[in-house]
């Protein structure tokens, strides 16, 4: 009996009649995913389906025959690996390109090609695996790039693999758990790691109490709700209602978020945390890590600083107009920093990335975004976190670091920036690099994906125009992990979405593999450039209070965010470890022993 599910699946696969429009009468034919190249499977009777190939560039029963121009495009289009290699080499050539009109041309191409991979308006959600008004209009749901696997399919990923997926905890412990800390070869530091977590939590707000696939954040993009609160009531509690500013407290002459006594909003703190150390900010979970609270403090200071600038130029403006305009400026600053500092570092490209909304004014583009559940799944980058945290030479284990606001208040923002700049973050791809203290989060991601019935990793590869892997060894680049994965999943086409992203072999000298780049970049760029401030109606000086406010947006950088809001600018403010520090740490790591229990 133990082999019966596997035997059943084998029989069903033998019975498949791909290309004829018919499949076994006992199986939903769409479970075979017969429609290629973004074709939509429409089921009629139990044994009949049709593929809608409209505007896919393909035709035929299963949308597999390329049209004339599709064939030409497929012939000349470079492979992602070649494109990545070209963008990360030949610096002398890119220096020339970046200084000419070609830089703008290529940047426009990057934005349009990447963004066009994300459907707009949205198509599916976790309740509707077909086009519906509800999937479009109900913003309480995350959207979906691919519809859920049909509930009546013989296996969780359709027809491939076993009838039951391997235990999620076993997957995490066997393939995700860190054996020895592997630093990111691109040199990402903890400033990068904490920024990634801080930035994304303004739009990744899973609302499990509502059910599967719901989000608490209705903005679906860069709205700075993690700074201002995700409801009007929370925002009002955090606001000073004077000169447009947010509430704050002064400690040792420096500005910090107010305590929950002065701004009584709900915050997630354990009962043992002193009231004075329970700081109140827009995102209720950011008391968890001092690094997140550090960024919350920087943005609080920046908001109030911008309000002072606006007040000086617009003495007649009301508190409300000062607040609203400052918020728009900070949204612009955020997008500028994300594209030109954060994504620039992450990509490793020599192409100079630009935040220039005007590049898209002459092309068709929709200024609205919906956060997809796949983007939320993809962005669980917990391998970034180290085994311990070094602040000014003091080592903090997880137990001493979590919910410890006194680290921020005692050391100050400058000390944390300097310390986090100098500490390596971990490599995300390749597996075996998540600290044991946060492994449970990865387990939760796998279990959520199963509840949401996400399609397999290879199905998403195809959706983003990538060649599906033909074996686990091709995926991982080695034999041991590949063999174990094959034993657990039975078929490369049954591998789940998130495990595939994490165990995929990294690109050379890169933080993660090809799939994370090719799937993550379209979500990111569409979400950033789809912000309303990037539209022709908004992108003008008057939106930001005039030339001075517009200049703040257009000149924003991570270094300015820090250095304009501390007394003494720390050295080497960046998302990567300084070269001298990196070389020293690499030399020390050559003789390092595997990480021990904290």
């Amino acid at each position: 009996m133990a082999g019966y599910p596997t035997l059943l699946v084998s029989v069903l696969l033998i019975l498949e009649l791909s290309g004829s429009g018919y499949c076994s009468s006992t199986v939903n034919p769409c479970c075979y995913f017969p429609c290629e190249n973004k074709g939509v499977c429409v089921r009629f009777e139990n044994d009949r389906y049709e593929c809608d190939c409209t505007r896919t560039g393909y035709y035929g029963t299963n949308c597999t025959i390329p049209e004339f121009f599709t064939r030409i495009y497929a012939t000349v289009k470079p492979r992602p690996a070649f494109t990545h290699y070209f963008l990360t080499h030949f610096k002398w050539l890119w220096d020339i390109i970046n200084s000419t009109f070609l830089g703008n041309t290529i940047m426009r191409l990057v934005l349009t090609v990447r963004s066009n991979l994300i459907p707009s308006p949205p198509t599916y959600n976790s309740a509707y695996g077909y086009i519906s008004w509800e999937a479009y209009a109900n913003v309480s749901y995350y959207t979906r790039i691919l519809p859920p696997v049909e509930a009546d399919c013989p296996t969780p990923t359709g027809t491939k693999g076993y009838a039951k997926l391997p235990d999620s905890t076993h997957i995490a412990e066997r393939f995700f758990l860190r054996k020895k800390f592997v630093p990111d070869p691109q040199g990402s530091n903890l400033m990068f790691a904490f920024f990634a977590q801080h930035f994304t939590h303004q739009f990744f707000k899973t609302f499990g109490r509502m059910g599967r696939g719901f989000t608490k954040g209705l903005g679906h993009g860069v709205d700075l709700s993690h700074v201002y609160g995700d409801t009007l009531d929370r925002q009002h509690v955090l606001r000073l209602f004077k000169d447009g500013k947010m509430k704050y407290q002064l400690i040792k002459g420096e500005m910090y978020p107010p305590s929950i006594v002065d701004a009584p909003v709900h915050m997630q703190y354990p009962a043992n945390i002193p009231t004075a150390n329970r700081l109140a900010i827009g995102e209720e979970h950011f008391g968890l890590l001092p690094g997140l609270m550090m960024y919350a403090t920087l943005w609080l200071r920046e908001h109030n600083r911008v309000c002072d600038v606006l007040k000086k130029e617009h003495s007649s403006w009301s508190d409300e107009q000062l607040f609203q305009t400052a918020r728009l400026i900070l949204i612009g600053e955020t997008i500028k920093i994300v594209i030109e500092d954060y994504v620039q570092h992450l990509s490793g490209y020599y192409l100079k990335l630009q935040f220039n909304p005007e590049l898209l004014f002459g092309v068709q583009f929709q200024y609205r975004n919906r956060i997809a559940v796949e983007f939320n799944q993809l962005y669980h980058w917990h391998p970034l976190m180290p085994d311990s945290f070094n602040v000014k030479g003091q080592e903090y284990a997880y137990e001493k670091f979590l919910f410890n606001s006194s680290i921020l208040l005692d050391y100050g923002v400058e000390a944390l920036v300097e310390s986090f700049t100098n500490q390596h973050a971990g490599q995300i791809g390749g597996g075996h690099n998540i600290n044991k203290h946060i492994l449970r989060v990865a387990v939760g991601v796998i279990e959520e994906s199963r509840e949401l019935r996400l399609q397999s990793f290879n199905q998403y590869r195809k959706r983003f125009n990538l060649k599906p892997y033909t074996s686990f060894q091709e995926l991982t680049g080695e034999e041991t992990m590949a063999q174990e994965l094959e034993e657990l999943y039975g078929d490369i086409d049954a591998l789940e979405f998130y495990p595939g992203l994490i165990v995929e072999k990294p690109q050379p000298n890169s933080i993660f593999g090809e799939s994370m780049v090719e799937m993550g970049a379209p979500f990111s760029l569409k979400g950033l450039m789809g912000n309303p401030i990037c539209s022709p109606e908004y992108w003008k000086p008057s939106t930001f209070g005039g030339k001075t406010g517009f200049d703040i947006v257009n000149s924003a950088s991570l270094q300015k965010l820090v250095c304009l809001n501390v007394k003494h600018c720390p050295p080497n403010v960046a998302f990567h470890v300084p070269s001298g520090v990196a070389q020293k740490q690499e030399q020390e790591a050559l003789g390092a022993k595997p990480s021990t229990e904290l």
Side-chain angles (χ1 to χ4, degrees), residues 360-374:
L360 295 176
F361 285 180
V363 301
Q364 185 179 9
F365 195 80
Q366 295 197 29
Y367 295 95
R368 187 180 182 188
N369 188 59
R370 284 281 293 278
I371 298 298
V373 71
E374 294 95 342

Side-chain angles (χ1 to χ4, degrees), residues 183-221:
D184 167 32
Q186 291 180 227
S188 299
N189 57 24
L190 292 193
M191 283 294 287
F192 175 87
F194 288 127
F195 187 92
Q197 193 171 1
H198 186 272
F199 166 71
T200 58
H201 273 69
Q202 65 189 297
F203 44 79
F204 292 153
K205 294 176 178 286
T206 301
F207 200 25
R209 286 176 290 175
M210 285 285 290
R212 297 194 300 268
F214 283 91
T215 173
K216 188 180 177 185
L218 302 181
H220 284 269

